[in-house]
């Protein structure tokens, strides 16, 4: 059954000196309840309008929310300001999490940046906290996976759901991340593998259970760069730490039969001890306190890094657009969620200000141009950044940090 949520607008029209009020309704769906989709819906909500939020996950806590995010003053924080949530964010976020330490593979401290008192340029927040903050009063339809989007049908843009149901809208916003099911309605681009894989693990109660590691990590992050590989540990709230082993490898590094002779042959990613031992071999020779990050890690998750082509754009299609990773998946160098949120906020403001279908389409078209220009800059920066962070010359990683960290 079609849902009647939508963007209701009452527009005053001057006709024969009389003011008539007509009710206009844009039926808006946002596919995906990540940072992009939720920020869009929350800012729209602040302007008094509703969007139907369609999320594949069956519940907000259906899977672990992921690691910490640093939200930049001029991007993620600006978006939260537009949503009226900046003060709440400031109460939850961790400015001390901006601390960054870089070690040599032998454990020598090469850099140790501490945030200045009052520095709120890039504070950290747990993803789960950010999600709950954005969710607030929003009414998400959980467990509604989108299978396909068909623009330009008689009744608008058709969404086909994975359960076989379908529904039409005037505007469908694809905020459904890297493997977007909305994107094929606009573009044939698909993500490709960067050649760099992350294996993620975590530590709990680090301050009580692993005090030496807690000191090594400090209040923020610690990173160690070697030849074509790196280890990064980031403190989340509540003594939780996420550890990312990063290395250059073929996509099938753990399963390829050609590599049966190597240490990773036939590796089962679910076999915690096998993955741990494979990683310890990969990082062999690094300082023992650094390797403790892997020795004490709990489960391991394989996250090969994929990206969309830099400068990805599409020919505008009325009634459909993309936000965030669905539009411009790029290496995770601290920009993706920030861009996703700023885009969500800007699109919501533009949509809220559009009185009729023509203005709505113009607003979306103008938004896309703006998004592409900004995302293009970041995609180039993060692509070059990944090359330098996981590189044959570890000095490149240090040089990159020296360029971007405040002195
Ligand atoms: C290890 C790592 C660290 C990172 N650190 C940072 C950081 O510090 N700062 C930063 O700015 N960025 C960071 N990023 C990038 C950031 O996570 C992403 O750019 C950001 O999450 C994109 O938000 P999004 O809303 O576009 O997509 P997503 O967060 O991927 O959300 C998409 C949502 O859509 C839902 N969905 C997917 N398919 C469907 C479907 N078919 N139907 C319905 N719903 C669907 C998903 O369940 C999900 O909820 C990091 C990324 C990684 C991998």
């Amino acid at each position: 059954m079609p849902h009647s949520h939508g963007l209701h607008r009452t527009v005053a029209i001057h006709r024969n000196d009389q003011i008539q009020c007509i009710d206009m309704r844009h039926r808006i769906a946002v596919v995906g309840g990540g940072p992009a989709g939720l920020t869009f819906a929350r800012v729209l909500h602040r302007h008094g309008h509703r969007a139907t939020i369609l999320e594949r996950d069956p519940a907000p806590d259906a899977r672990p929310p992921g690691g910490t995010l640093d939200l930049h003053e001029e991007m993620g924080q600006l978006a939260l300001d537009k949503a009226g949530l900046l003060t709440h964010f400031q109460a939850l976020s961790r400015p001390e999490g901006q601390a960054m330490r870089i070690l040599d593979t032998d454990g020598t401290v090469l850099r140790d940046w501490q945030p200045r008192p009052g520095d709120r340029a890039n504070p950290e927040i747990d993803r789960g906290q950010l999600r709950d903050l954005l969710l607030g009063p929003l009414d998400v339809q959980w467990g509604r996976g989108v299978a396909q989007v068909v623009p330009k049908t008689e009744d608008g843009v058709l969404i086909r759901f994975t359960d076989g149901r379908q529904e039409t809208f005037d505007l469908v916003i694809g905020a459904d991340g890297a493997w977007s099911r909305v994107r094929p309605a606009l573009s044939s681009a698909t993500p490709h593998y960067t050649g760099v894989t992350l294996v993620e693990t975590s530590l709990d109660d680090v301050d009580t259970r692993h005090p030496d590691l807690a000191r090594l990590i400090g209040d923020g992050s610690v990173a160690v760069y070697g030849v074509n590989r790196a280890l990064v540990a980031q403190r989340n709230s509540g003594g939780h730490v996420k550890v990312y082993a990063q290395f250059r490898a073929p996509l099938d590094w753990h399963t390829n039969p050609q590599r049966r002779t190597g240490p990773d042959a036939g590796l089962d990613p679910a076999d915690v001890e096998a993955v741990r031992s494979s990683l310890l071999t990969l990082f062999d020779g690094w300082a023992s306190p650094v390797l403790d990050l892997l020795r004490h890690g709990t489960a391991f998750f394989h996250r090969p890094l994929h990206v969309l082509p830099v400068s990805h754009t599409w020919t505008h299609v009325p009634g459909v657009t993309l936000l965030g990773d669905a539009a411009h998946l790029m290496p995770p160098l601290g920009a993706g969620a920030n861009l996703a949120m700023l885009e969500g906020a800007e699109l919501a403001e533009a949509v809220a200000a559009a009185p009729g279908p023509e203005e709505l389409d113009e607003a979306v078209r103008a938004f896309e141009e703006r998004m592409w220009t900004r995302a293009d800059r970041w995609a180039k920066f993060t692509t070059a950044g990944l090359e330098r962070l996981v590189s044959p010359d570890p000095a490149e990683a240090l040089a990159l940090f020296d360029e971007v960290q405040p002195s």
Side-chain angles (χ1 to χ4, degrees), residues 2 17 42 51 54 57 71 86-87 91 108 110 119 137 166 223 226 266 281 304 308 321 334 340 345-346 348 365 393:
D17 288 338
R42 193 65 198 267
L54 305 163
D57 284 349
L71 295 190
L86 190 57
T87 313
T108 311
L110 300 173
D119 181 353
Q166 48 189 48
T281 307
L308 279 168
T321 194
E346 288 180 348
R365 197 188 280 269
D393 179 6

Side-chain angles (χ1 to χ4, degrees), residues 283-346:
F283 289 89
D284 188 30
W286 288 30
S288 190
V290 170
L291 294 183
D292 280 347
L293 293 168
L294 299 173
R295 290 191 188 108
H296 297 298
T298 48
F300 290 88
F301 298 95
H302 185 213
R303 304 203 190 284
L305 294 182
H306 287 79
V307 290
L308 279 168
V310 172
S311 310
H312 172 232
T313 61
W314 55 89
T315 304
H316 175 74
V317 174
V320 191
T321 194
L322 302 174
L323 291 180
D325 280 4
H328 48 63
L329 180 66
M330 56 185 77
L333 270 71
N338 280 279
L339 285 168
M341 292 173 69
L342 186 56
E343 290 159 9
E346 288 180 348

Side-chain angles (χ1 to χ4, degrees), residues 162-175:
T162 49
D163 63 5
R165 286 188 290 172
Q166 48 189 48
E167 208 172 318
T168 48
F169 294 88
D170 300 313
L171 176 62
V172 171
I173 296 161

Side-chain angles (χ1 to χ4, degrees), residues 153-169:
T153 73
E154 228 167 62
D155 188 33
V157 184
L158 176 77
I159 293 186
R160 293 204 173 100
F161 292 92
T162 49
D163 63 5
R165 286 188 290 172
Q166 48 189 48
E167 208 172 318
T168 48
F169 294 88

Side-chain angles (χ1 to χ4, degrees), residues 31-37 54-57 63 68-72 124 127 144-147 175-181 198 200 234 244 303 305 323-326 332-340:
V31 182
L54 305 163
E55 168 55 51
R56 181 180 57 187
D57 284 349
R63 60 191 161 95
T68 179
L69 291 171
D70 67 308
L71 295 190
H72 308 184
E124 299 277 340
R127 270 172 206 259
R144 297 212 77 197
V146 166
D176 50 342
W179 304 101
S180 171
R181 304 304 288 263
L198 302 192
E200 176 191 313
Q234 290 187 310
Y244 303 96
R303 304 203 190 284
L305 294 182
L323 291 180
D325 280 4
L333 270 71
N338 280 279
L339 285 168

